[in-house]
Amino acid sequence: MGLPMRNVCFLALFVLLASCSGTPDGGGDGGGDGGGDGRGEADPLASDPVVARALHDPLMSDPDLSARNAANALLGFADETALPLFPATAEAARGAREAGRLELLADGDILPLPAPVASTGPIPNAAATAGDLLGALEAPESCAAALEQGFVWAADLPQVAAIMPRGMVVQAGGADTAPCKLRIIRYHTPAAPEDVLEYHFTRAARAGLQPTHHAGPGSGIAARGKDGAALVVAVRRAATGHTAVDLLYRAR
């Protein structure tokens, strides 16, 4: 004898609900290989560092994180923004200073940083545009299209453009096609701004460039070589307490 139509409808509804609410194979209420919580294997997205950072990073509306706003960056780095590893403490600043001086002393005397000259350029400030940065190196604006992003550019620097010891790279880009043989590096360090400038001033002079210490809207050094090579280093205080450094280099 057939089932009443109402019972058939109830059975169909029950089957539909069971198919929608059932647990994955191997899950259940404590059975199978997925463990007692029914989660099974770990979600691969949960172990992805990019996804994890997106889920757990502080909100950018926090005013203390304004230094991490890359709106004015020459290059966009969706997944290559490093967080500071060394704290911005007095002890860390002394350690970075000593490490930089020891590295320089291994190859000769350290040149004292001269008194700055008042200047409105060529040191870019925090609001510098792509054109400003390229202009500081006297590079054609068309070089912006040749730049490639990636931390590998920070690992392939000549001595004249070496990063100060204990520097933490935040952004990196470069190009190797003439006339755009460029390196544009942004890094943070716990060292004081004057120690950073002394380090890069000595490096530039040793490479045969003519460095000048500038003060004004932008503080840093600008160095030129007889062959047209250029090095520009701009420093400023980051919201984290570190010294933020823009290291720009153009080879000839």
Side-chain angles (χ1 to χ4, degrees):
M1 181 176 180
L3 291 173
M5 181 61 66
R6 184 172 59 182
N7 290 346
V8 173
C9 291
F10 282 164
L11 287 174
L13 180 60
F14 177 81
V15 173
L16 179 62
L17 292 174
S19 65
C20 292
S21 60
T23 57
D25 292 343
D29 297 329
D33 295 334
D37 58 4
R39 288 179 296 179
E41 294 183 0
D43 184 350
L45 291 179
S47 60
D48 188 303
V50 176
V51 175
R53 190 176 67 199
L55 292 175
H56 302 298
D57 246 14
L59 294 175
M60 292 304 294
S61 57
D62 185 341
D64 291 334
L65 298 175
S66 59
R68 290 173 59 185
N69 179 3
N72 294 315
L74 173 61
L75 301 172
F77 295 86
D79 299 320
E80 292 190 331
T81 300
L83 297 179
L85 300 179
F86 298 103
T89 63
E91 182 179 0
R94 286 193 299 270
R97 178 180 187 273
E98 292 171 1
R101 293 179 67 83
L102 285 173
E103 183 179 282
L104 292 175
L105 287 171
D107 296 321
D109 295 333
I110 299 174
L111 300 180
L113 187 66
V117 296
S119 174
T120 57
I123 309 300
N125 57 32
T129 65
D132 294 333
L133 297 180
L134 294 175
L137 293 173
E138 297 182 357
E141 290 188 8
S142 59
C143 288
L147 287 168
E148 297 178 359
Q149 63 182 0
F151 284 152
V152 65
W153 295 103
D156 181 27
L157 293 170
Q159 282 289 79
V160 63
I163 295 171
M164 189 172 182
R166 303 191 184 181
M168 302 161 286
V169 177
V170 176
Q171 297 176 321
D176 271 334
T177 303
C180 305
K181 295 183 178 181
L182 307 172
R183 298 293 185 272
I184 297 180
I185 311 296
R186 282 176 167 158
Y187 74 92
H188 286 183
T189 173
E194 57 270 21
D195 293 324
V196 175
L197 293 179
E198 182 182 69
Y199 177 88
H200 288 293
F201 187 92
T202 299
R203 285 285 184 203
R206 287 180 179 177
L209 305 184
Q210 299 296 320
T212 306
H213 182 196
H214 293 261
S219 297
I221 65 168
R224 308 287 177 184
K226 294 179 179 180
D227 60 352
L231 175 73
V232 176
V233 179
V235 299
R236 59 186 176 275
R237 281 294 186 185
T240 57
H242 295 80
T243 299
V245 185
D246 288 349
L247 175 63
L248 318 176
Y249 177 66
R250 184 186 182 196
R252 286 298 184 101

